[in-house]
Amino acid sequence: MSLFGQTAAATGANTTGDISKDVALNAPPEDGISDLKFSPQSEHLAVSSWDKKVRIYEINAQGGSEGKALFEHEQPVLSCCWSKDGTKVVGAGADKAARMMDLSSGNTTTAQQVAAHDSPIRCARFVDIPQQNTQMLVTGSWDKTIKYWDLRQSTPVASVSCQERVYSLDVVNTLLVIATADRYINIINLNDPAKFYKTIQSPLKWQTRVVTCFNDGSGFAVGSVEGRCAIQYVEDKDSSANFSFKCHRAAQTGVGSSNNTNVFSVNAISFHPQHGTFSTAGSDGTFHFWDKDAKHRLKGYPEVGGPITATDFSRQGNIFAYSVSYDWSKGYSANTPQLANKVMLHAVTGDECKPRPKTGGRK
């Protein structure tokens, strides 16, 4: 059965993508959308929002969606994530707490607090620590720390001080990457989780918005407010493969703007689970698919009607979810009731996300 009623015909050499058949999530959040994550085990999507709620939806093959569970925080929720077995969803946010719902218990409305910081928690992810017999939660906060939590205990197993407020973090296998204010990027090898394996300054010149690990854990992508993305490998021996590129920029139009460019923030980066290609999405309201190894853009998509704040691929890579919502890039005064708050589901078909075929010579 073809997803969303689309056929999987090859898209040929056309690099402009089609969003006309993208399907909106039913009953979306009522305020800005901060994060979204697909379950690693099923067709469920968790969405966190400034309306203080984390919602869990079930997605069917036709793109239909149904709300299945919901839990609340005391303040806006800034991050959400799933456990590896797909039974637990965690939200973290401005109430300085992380809260977890255990879906295997049949509970669909309440969550228990599982983590606390001295300032808002910006991000949370489940991690596997070698030699530990249980999956742990790692939280990154504006109190300039990350903390590891055994969900059976009320106090953190370990806390690591960072140079500045944590803005983004991601984990794959034993690689944990933490991006902070002042452009610090800390790399942790989870074989030794209580200390930094390496610290670098972001290769980009302006504030970091997002870091996302490669599928194989050999490196990570960085997005910043300056309309630029960097591909960065962990080990020095691979440094020749590091590079950065411009994206999410648009030439100004109108009188006197011939040489001026509008620069937009890169808000979200997601890697395709099978192909290893990746997406960027930004304040300009567009998303793009890229092949980092070929240094090539695979597809670019039209503007979707507002900034894109979060993205994720489903576990099989056949759905790309993106949230259209205010991203606070123009401050509090620009947040008006007329702005969209929606999650769109894009069926990934044909060669949209497939790597560029390798050729004998460099293009």
Side-chain angles (χ1 to χ4, degrees), residues 209 248 263-267 281-286 303 306-308 327 329:
R209 286 285 290 163
H248 301 282
V263 178
F264 298 90
S265 173
V266 180
N267 293 330
S283 297
D284 59 342
T286 70
E303 203 273 331
I308 299 175
D327 63 356
S329 60

Side-chain angles (χ1 to χ4, degrees), residues 19 22 32-36 122 209-210 224 248 264-270 279-289 300-312 320-329 339-344 346:
I19 58 171
D22 292 3
I33 299 161
S34 57
D35 200 6
L36 53 82
R122 180 61 185 87
R209 286 285 290 163
V210 60
S224 73
H248 301 282
F264 298 90
S265 173
V266 180
N267 293 330
I269 299 172
S270 299
S279 64
T280 63
S283 297
D284 59 342
T286 70
F287 63 91
H288 306 263
F289 295 151
Y301 294 80
E303 203 273 331
V304 299
I308 299 175
T309 55
T311 60
D312 198 26
F320 177 70
Y322 59 94
S323 57
V324 183
S325 186
Y326 185 53
D327 63 356
W328 303 96
S329 60
L339 293 174
N341 279 307
K342 59 184 179 180
V343 175
M344 302 299 295
H346 175 81

Side-chain angles (χ1 to χ4, degrees), residues 175 177 185 187 200-204 210-224 228-235 238-247 266 268-271 276-280 289-297:
L175 174 67
V177 181
I185 297 177
I187 300 163
I200 65 170
Q201 290 282 153
S202 169
L204 307 179
V210 60
V211 289
T212 305
C213 297
F214 303 166
N215 293 344
D216 64 1
S218 64
F220 51 93
V222 186
S224 73
R228 193 180 285 269
C229 179
I231 298 299
Q232 191 79 17
Y233 285 83
V234 172
E235 300 299 340
D238 300 319
S239 62
S240 62
N242 296 342
F243 69 98
S244 64
F245 60 95
K246 296 176 183 178
C247 51
V266 180
I269 299 172
S270 299
F271 280 86
T277 52
F278 69 99
S279 64
T280 63
F289 295 151
W290 309 84
D291 180 345
K292 69 177 174 61
D293 299 321
K295 299 182 180 180
H296 177 72
R297 189 181 77 156

